[in-house]
Amino acid sequence: MLTVREARKRYGATTALDGISLELKNGSVLAVIGANGAGKTTLLKCIIGLLKFEGQVLVDGIDVARKGKQARRLIGYVPQQPALHGDLSVRETALFYADLKGVPQDRAREVVEWVGLGDHTEKRTDALSGGMRQRLALALAMLGNPPLLVLDEPASGLDVAARLELRRLVQEQRKLGKAIILSTHWLEDVPYVADHALVLDQGRAVFQGPASGLTANATVGSKLYLRLNGHSPEAVPVIQSTAVAGAVDRAGDWLVVTCRAENKAQIVEALFSAGITILDFRVEEASVDDAVIDLQGVAGGNQ
């Protein structure tokens, strides 16, 4: 569905993309990961034909640079900051864009229901939460039932509940056979939403391969902060017995456990099983910058 061949983009002396190539099949999800300025948004804008670039992008065999309008009919795009008309309701917004795209009004109602906004159809878009705005933007992208979805930082600014809902929506679209490419700086989300991962650093690919391989190669850990009401001495051997925890440190009345993102729940379950009550907890997620540095050491075998 999507083929990118040696895509390059320069802004004067600055190289924003440096020879990126990838393929994405129907029913697959590719996560593009990187810190701010890594080239994620530039790559997505090249894919949808909003920027001129060197190289080639094909959407279902159609060259985006030569036949951009035809290619974009196959793409649903959600920008990082959706531009919605604040004085329109959810229902009016969906009907307006349905009219622009020449799709039936029933389709507008269908996509609004699908993203979970059926109970908010009369709410003005400027009164929506960040998560609701992202869901509405996804609904608008889905109006024409495009086979390729391009999502630029769809989880940006969302709370945990909204991120989980986004995961569900992406998984549903994958099951329907959509090809999905999304950019993110949330390393934790990648194994749950994507089949493949591409990590960019200053426009270059420092990792490209299965999403499961991303966490296997990046040894940078998340930090799990636990407040245990004076039971820290008892908890330390329990945590260490899980064999998935790294360093266990103290910060005031908190225990700080370094571990892989996917192993946090295992540590919490072990404490509950041992009868140790967790009064409070918080998570400091793995840094994209640190992960990129870590991945540069294994980049040669994965590009």
Side-chain angles (χ1 to χ4, degrees), residues 129-152:
S129 67
M132 288 180 177
R133 289 175 64 85
Q134 288 295 84
R135 280 189 274 168
L136 177 57
L138 183 57
L140 301 180
M142 286 301 305
L143 278 168
N145 199 25
L148 173 63
L149 291 176
V150 178
L151 315 179
D152 190 2

Side-chain angles (χ1 to χ4, degrees), residues 63-136:
D63 192 312
V64 170
R66 296 181 178 180
K67 300 180 179 179
K69 187 173 182 180
Q70 184 178 347
R72 281 189 287 275
R73 291 195 185 102
L74 305 177
I75 301 173
Y77 175 53
V78 177
Q80 186 173 350
Q81 298 293 336
L84 302 172
H85 302 279
D87 58 340
L88 296 182
S89 68
V90 170
R91 177 183 58 81
E92 290 169 334
T93 300
L95 291 175
F96 173 71
Y97 280 92
D99 186 53
L100 286 180
K101 296 187 178 186
V103 300
Q105 292 189 354
D106 286 347
R107 176 62 178 170
R109 287 187 281 269
E110 179 184 341
V111 294
V112 167
E113 289 284 346
W114 174 74
V115 298
L117 293 178
D119 294 332
H120 304 277
T121 55
E122 299 308 315
K123 185 176 291 187
R124 282 171 49 129
T125 63
D126 59 6
L128 298 177
S129 67
M132 288 180 177
R133 289 175 64 85
Q134 288 295 84
R135 280 189 274 168
L136 177 57

Side-chain angles (χ1 to χ4, degrees), residues 32-44 153 183-185 200:
V32 182
I33 305 144
N36 291 335
K40 304 187 302 297
T41 296
T42 298
L43 174 61
L44 299 191
E153 293 276 9
S183 67
T184 183
H185 62 271
L200 296 179

Side-chain angles (χ1 to χ4, degrees), residues 2 7 16 29 33 40 86 88 105 125 180 184 197 217 239 278 287 299:
L2 173 65
V29 180
I33 305 144
K40 304 187 302 297
L88 296 182
Q105 292 189 354
T125 63
I180 304 170
T184 183
N217 284 304
I239 293 170
I278 299 174
S287 161

Side-chain angles (χ1 to χ4, degrees), residues 227-237 250 255 271 275-277 279:
R227 182 177 283 155
L228 305 173
N229 194 25
H231 293 285
S232 295
E234 305 164 37
V236 171
R250 282 182 170 79
L255 274 185
L271 291 171
I276 298 174
T277 302
L279 296 181

Side-chain angles (χ1 to χ4, degrees), residues 162-290:
R163 282 169 56 197
L164 292 174
E165 176 67 10
L166 178 66
R167 288 183 190 177
R168 181 188 67 80
L169 296 173
V170 170
Q171 295 288 9
E172 285 187 3
Q173 287 305 298
R174 175 166 63 177
K175 290 178 182 177
L176 292 173
K178 307 290 184 184
I180 304 170
I181 180 169
L182 60 89
S183 67
T184 183
H185 62 271
W186 293 104
L187 292 179
E188 282 199 349
D189 287 339
V190 174
Y192 299 98
V193 300
D195 306 293
H196 309 285
L198 167 65
V199 181
L200 296 179
D201 179 40
Q202 298 181 6
R204 296 178 297 106
V206 297
F207 175 89
Q208 194 165 0
S212 58
L214 177 66
T215 52
N217 284 304
T219 58
V220 177
S222 296
K223 292 186 183 298
L224 178 63
Y225 289 74
L226 301 164
R227 182 177 283 155
L228 305 173
N229 194 25
H231 293 285
S232 295
E234 305 164 37
V236 171
V238 173
I239 293 170
Q240 292 174 334
S241 71
T242 63
V244 297
V248 182
D249 302 306
R250 282 182 170 79
D253 57 348
W254 295 84
L255 274 185
V256 185
V257 184
T258 301
C259 61
R260 291 186 183 276
E262 66 269 23
N263 292 332
K264 296 193 301 293
Q266 188 174 339
I267 293 169
V268 172
E269 289 171 1
L271 291 171
F272 274 117
S273 298
I276 298 174
T277 302
I278 299 174
L279 296 181
D280 196 5
F281 73 94
R282 61 186 177 87
V283 175
E284 183 179 299
E285 297 184 350
S287 161
V288 171
D289 291 332
D290 290 343

